[in-house]
């Protein structure tokens, strides 16, 4: 069988980092690079010569400034000869997506409750461990806690990640965003001087209905997406509506999970009539729109028969 030789260069300096050939494989006691070898297998071989760069840290590409090759890409199907030149970039220290999600979601749950129970040193000594007389404050705590408990449980039992890790630095950025906003909104909602919404119980009931419907919708979409991808697989399929009415939004948008997520926070903002919540909703909508547009473009590029009427996040508009 014909074997490949793989040369791996540093994408910045062009320094030769590794040359995988017959002699190297014999010297380091690992298999030769076969034509059907995947990029994931080449990463594993590269790690044997450079243990400090474990596979999740590696980005291999055909051009120094090109896109990273996918782990499942097969060497003989790439536009290379029997001596393939790949360029390496270090992605930095990595951390699992599950760890990141659990950390960034557990924080807001805990932080919000500190303000809700008015622990000492937040609002002043006379308010320590006192309780608000406004029903909406208690309802807001229930909704906020439910949202993040739901996220934690989905991370553990529902989500299937196409990528196992992300850069370690992202956890600090993500936690600053989630934890910071949680503290900011919780401070005002649970403040002893907080005043209920302008239109009272009717406004709260309407907002609660929006929140509950969108939370159910978000969960339904996550379950539908989970069923599209078998465990341990990176298979991508076009998501379609199921018998669950909440999934019918797939008829109009590519990422209804984001649509429902934004709707939940809009409902929470209406319920609490709190400016920090509104700003959190706006920032979240902006970021989710960017993600939705990216996923929408990927669907259009990958699937020729992708439904043409779908928009990324808002039906008929965006």
């Amino acid at each position: 069988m014909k074997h490949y030789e793989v040369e791996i260069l540093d994408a910045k300096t062009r320094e030769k980092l590794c040359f995988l050939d017959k002699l190297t494989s014999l010297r380091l006691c690992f298999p030769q690079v076969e034509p059907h070898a995947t990029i994931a297998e080449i990463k594993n071989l590269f790690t044997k010569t450079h243990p400090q760069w474990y596979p999740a840290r590696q980005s291999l590409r055909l051009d120094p400034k090109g896109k990273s090759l996918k782990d499942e890409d097969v060497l003989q199907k790439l536009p290379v000869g029997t001596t393939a030149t790949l360029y390496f970039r270090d992605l930095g220290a990595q951390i699992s997506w599950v760890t990141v999600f659990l950390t960034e979601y557990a924080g807001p749950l805990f932080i919000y409750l500190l303000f809700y129970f008015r622990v000492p040193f937040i609002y002043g000594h006379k308010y320590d461990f006192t309780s608000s007389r406004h029903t909406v404050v208690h309802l807001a705590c229930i909704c906020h806690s439910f949202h993040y408990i739901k996220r934690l449980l989905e991370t553990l039992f529902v989500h299937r990640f196409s990528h196992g890790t992300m850069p370690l630095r992202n956890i600090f950025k993500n936690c600053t965003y989630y934890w910071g906003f949680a503290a900011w909104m919780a401070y005002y909602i649970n403040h002893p001087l907080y005043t209920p919404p302008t239109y009272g119980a009717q406004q709260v009931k309407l907002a609660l209905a929006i929140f509950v419907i969108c939370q159910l919708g978000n969960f339904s979409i996550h379950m539908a997406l989970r069923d599209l991808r078998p465990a341990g697989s990176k298979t991508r399929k076009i998501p379609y509506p199921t018998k669950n009415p909440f999934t019918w939004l797939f008829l109009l948008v590519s990422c209804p999970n984001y649509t429902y997520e934004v709707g939940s926070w809009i409902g929470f903002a209406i319920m609490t009539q709190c400016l920090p919540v509104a700003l959190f909703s706006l920032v979240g909508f902006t970021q989710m729109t960017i993600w939705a547009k990216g996923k929408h473009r990927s669907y259009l590029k990958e699937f020729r028969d992708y439904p043409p009427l779908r928009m990324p996040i808002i039906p008929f508009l965006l």
Side-chain angles (χ1 to χ4, degrees):
M1 179 185 292
K2 178 179 65 175
H3 293 92
Y4 277 61
E5 295 178 339
V6 178
E7 179 184 48
I8 299 179
L9 308 181
D10 187 293
K12 293 181 179 179
T13 66
R14 305 299 192 275
E15 175 190 354
K16 183 185 290 188
L17 299 175
C18 182
F19 188 70
L20 303 174
D21 60 357
K22 183 176 181 180
L23 291 177
T24 308
S25 68
L26 290 173
R27 180 167 54 86
L28 296 179
C29 299
F30 60 69
Q32 297 183 58
V33 182
E34 298 183 353
H36 58 264
T38 63
I39 293 299
E41 292 170 340
I42 293 174
K43 286 182 177 180
N44 287 326
L45 296 179
F46 182 49
T47 299
K48 295 192 178 205
T49 64
H50 295 81
Q52 72 274 27
W53 293 318
Y54 47 88
R57 286 190 70 145
Q58 300 175 31
S59 168
L60 296 180
R61 51 194 75 187
L62 296 175
D63 183 86
K65 297 182 180 179
K67 292 184 177 180
S68 297
L69 296 169
K70 298 178 181 178
D71 283 352
E72 58 269 25
D73 286 341
V74 178
L75 189 59
Q76 66 180 357
K77 294 183 179 179
L78 297 175
V80 296
T82 54
T83 299
T85 299
L86 301 178
Y87 295 89
F88 162 81
R89 280 186 180 272
D90 181 12
L91 298 177
Q94 300 288 299
I95 188 171
S96 75
W97 277 90
V98 172
T99 301
V100 173
F101 277 17
L102 292 178
T103 304
E104 67 186 34
Y105 296 156
L109 176 63
F110 177 72
I111 290 170
Y112 193 99
L113 292 175
L114 292 178
F115 288 89
Y116 175 73
F117 289 113
R118 295 178 179 172
V119 298
F121 311 113
I122 294 181
Y123 297 117
H125 180 68
K126 71 175 183 177
Y127 295 113
D128 290 352
F129 298 111
T130 58
S131 180
S132 175
R133 68 180 187 276
H134 303 303
T135 303
V136 65
V137 172
H138 306 297
L139 186 60
C141 181
I142 293 172
C143 290
H144 188 274
S145 299
F146 172 83
H147 175 75
Y148 282 103
I149 290 173
K150 167 183 165 293
R151 282 194 168 191
L152 289 169
L153 293 175
E154 286 178 335
T155 298
L156 291 172
F157 303 111
V158 177
H159 293 320
R160 289 175 177 163
F161 302 98
S162 57
H163 299 286
T165 64
M166 67 189 299
L168 178 62
R169 62 181 178 273
N170 285 8
I171 194 171
F172 302 105
K173 177 182 66 177
N174 292 10
C175 286
T176 298
Y177 168 70
Y178 281 104
W179 295 17
F181 264 112
W184 192 21
M185 65 176 72
Y187 176 82
Y188 286 103
I189 296 172
N190 297 289
H191 197 285
L193 301 181
Y194 171 79
T195 54
T198 304
Y199 298 100
Q202 294 302 317
Q203 180 174 334
V204 173
K205 289 178 182 178
L206 173 62
L208 179 61
I210 294 173
F211 179 85
V212 171
I213 290 172
C214 288
Q215 285 289 285
L216 290 172
N218 181 263
F219 176 73
S220 298
I221 299 301
H222 286 163
M223 290 300 296
L225 292 174
R226 178 184 185 275
D227 293 339
L228 279 180
R229 177 178 292 162
S233 168
K234 293 187 177 181
T235 302
R236 283 170 56 87
K237 300 177 183 177
I238 299 176
Y240 286 105
T242 66
K243 294 180 181 179
N244 183 339
F246 287 109
T247 67
W248 295 352
L249 197 53
F250 270 127
L251 294 170
L252 301 174
V253 296
S254 294
C255 302
N257 51 323
Y258 295 153
T259 310
Y260 283 125
E261 179 75 9
V262 172
S264 294
W265 285 108
I266 290 174
F268 194 71
I270 295 171
M271 178 192 300
T272 58
Q273 201 168 294
C274 180
L275 180 59
V277 180
L279 291 176
F280 180 70
S281 304
L282 178 60
V283 173
F285 170 69
T286 302
Q287 180 61 69
M288 283 184 272
T289 298
I290 295 171
W291 290 337
K293 286 183 174 180
K295 291 186 177 183
H296 185 71
R297 284 194 298 268
S298 295
Y299 282 136
L300 291 173
K301 183 178 180 180
E302 187 171 353
F303 303 107
R304 293 184 178 180
D305 56 341
Y306 193 72
L309 294 179
R310 292 187 188 180
M311 299 296 286
I313 189 169
I314 300 179
F316 310 114
L317 294 176
L318 183 64

